[in-house]
Amino acid sequence: MNKKDIILCRCEDVSLADVERLLHEGYHTYEEIKRQLRVGMGPCQGQICGDLIRREIARYLKENIESIPTHKTRPLTIGVKIKSIKDGADHER
Amino acid sequence: MNADVVIIGSGISGASIAYNLALRGLKNIVVIDKSYPTSGSTGRCGAGVRQQWGTKGNCIMAKHSIEFFETAQKTLDYHEDIEFKQEGYLILATTIEEEKEFAENILLQNSLNIPARQLTKEEALAIVPHLNPDAFISATFCPTDGHLNPFKMTDAYYQAAKKQGVLFRFFEEVTAIERYNGKIQAVITQCDRYDTSVVVNAAGGFAREIAEMVGVDLPVYPENHEILVTEPVAKMQGPMVMSFSKNIYCQQVPHGSFLMGRTTPGQPSNHDIGSSWQFLDEMAKTVCDILPKIGELRVIRQWGGSYAVSPDHQPIISSVKQQAGFYLACGFSGHGFMFAPMTGILLSEIMLDLPPTLDVSEYDLDRFTQNQKIVKEKSVV
Ligand SMILES: Cc1cc2nc3c(=O)[nH]c(=O)nc-3n(C[C@H](O)[C@H](O)[C@H](O)COP(=O)(O)OP(=O)(O)OC[C@H]3O[C@@H](n4cnc5c(N)ncnc54)[C@H](O)[C@@H]3O)c2cc1C
């Protein structure tokens, strides 16, 4: 299958070919690749692409996947409407 | 190894300085960073660029830098889009006092050829129709202000500097600067030693610690500032909307997401860059007041980063009298991203003894030690 058709990040439509290109250019951590391709910045926050990309990094560097750092997880766990946050905060008072 | 100059910090400041030094013929430049590219404030910032400032020093830095951004992709021969969006900043006045202050700012800005102007409420609503008309009384607008992708812009400098032969070392932390008879001898990291007599401190929120390594007391204090991003939606807002009195900035980036931030009052000075629910609550309240429609969007992620604050909220781009060979590019507070083009140009001119493009006395470290009255920038969030 063409590597351009293998999608690693569904939120931002990033393919295996895109990730391999960056690996060749010298971007070897998830955090670096994220900042160039937006992987992990979409609504799923890296839930889908996180391990897939780590596996590609491991393969490229010929290391075990265990030794490849996972991406930084941040709040929120799931998308929440700003208005609901405001309503919640108002309700607390 | 040997280096003609070691730059500590590879945020946008360090990358721009490296590029500009190389462009002016300096060889053997090494840039050292303790983490990955844009891991500091640069990769955490709102990446807005504006010329609507209240001090001359900030206005000039911004104006010249924006002129650079306009052609940066070509100048730096970058293969990707830096996503420069030039649709202005709309700054809201919410009180009569603020409106008066803005009138003065506009006079200053216009005297420096910055095309900003005051707008009535109706004119502002014509530009951003989803503003709450009851949340402000008037506004100022500068159409050439805007936004860039901070990762791409920094990468553009990084790639251009690499092409000029600059060596970058990532994941290497500077732990000491060696001196002998008052002269800088070497920069020490956890895994290497760089023999050099010239060091640039572009360490952002850690600039104070780096200066301490050569016994210089630097008035630059890191402060956590939080920010969040929403899901991407179809384009609905051109300019950045900002209010100093209501404490908010909010912008839709070309990708479709909204970025918004505010200052948490009373932040202590430290290296915390965590996220808090208090920020989320206050941010939600503020944005729902000013831009109610945006309340319908989902927050995807929040994070924090350091403002490296100087006493007057203007940058320090300077040599250091008490330490030969030690140069500073720090104290950018909340606006070092947008100044980076000029930071690189000015500091490289200072270092190479070239005629300065701008009067750099405004940015000299000595302004804090000479007991002169400092003019503090008030137009900040
Ligand atoms: C939430 C937020 C929003 C912002 N919004 C804007 C905005 O809209 N517009 C704007 O212009 N600015 C904005 N800023 C400010 C802007 O981010 C900074 O002024 C700018 O990025 C500073 O760049 P820098 O290269 O000087 O510092 P940094 O990007 O912090 O880089 C410093 C580097 O030094 C490295 N370092 C530190 N200590 C050591 C050591 N001992 N050894 C090796 N390396 C070291 C760090 O790893 C880091 O990479 C914002 C900041 C924040 C936090």
Side-chain angles (χ1 to χ4, degrees), chain B residues 147-166:
Chain B
H147 172 90
L148 299 111
N149 181 325
F151 309 116
K152 298 290 184 190
M153 189 57 230
T154 312
D155 193 53
Y157 268 124
Y158 164 61
Q159 300 289 353
K162 272 208 304 196
K163 268 187 233 158
Q164 300 268 358
V166 174

Side-chain angles (χ1 to χ4, degrees), chain B residues 62 107 243:
Chain B
L107 283 179
S243 164

Side-chain angles (χ1 to χ4, degrees), chain B residues 71 88 127 163 236 287 324 346:
Chain B
T71 56
I127 298 176
K163 268 187 233 158
M236 59 184 277
V287 76
L346 296 179

Side-chain angles (χ1 to χ4, degrees), chain B residues 8-15 32-50 53 89 147 172-175 189 202-207 209-210 213 223-227 240 249 261 303-308 329-340 343:
Chain B
I8 305 172
S10 183
I12 189 146
S13 304
I32 304 176
D33 200 291
K34 66 186 166 96
S35 186
Y36 55 84
T38 71
S39 58
S41 307
T42 300
R44 301 167 182 279
C45 78
V49 301
R50 66 162 151 131
W53 293 98
Y89 261 56
H147 172 90
E172 227 181 288
E173 180 166 358
V174 172
T175 53
T189 69
F206 292 84
E209 280 85 346
I210 298 294
M213 294 178 184
E223 237 175 53
N224 188 14
H225 282 247
E226 296 182 58
I227 178 168
M240 167 83 106
Y249 61 87
W303 66 95
S306 287
Y307 277 17
C330 50
F332 293 103
S333 310
H335 35 277
F337 174 73
M338 68 180 83
F339 290 174
T343 299

Side-chain angles (χ1 to χ4, degrees), chain B residues 164-178:
Chain B
Q164 300 268 358
V166 174
L167 185 67
F168 284 83
R169 291 297 190 91
F170 291 105
F171 300 101
E172 227 181 288
E173 180 166 358
V174 172
T175 53
I177 299 173
E178 257 181 37

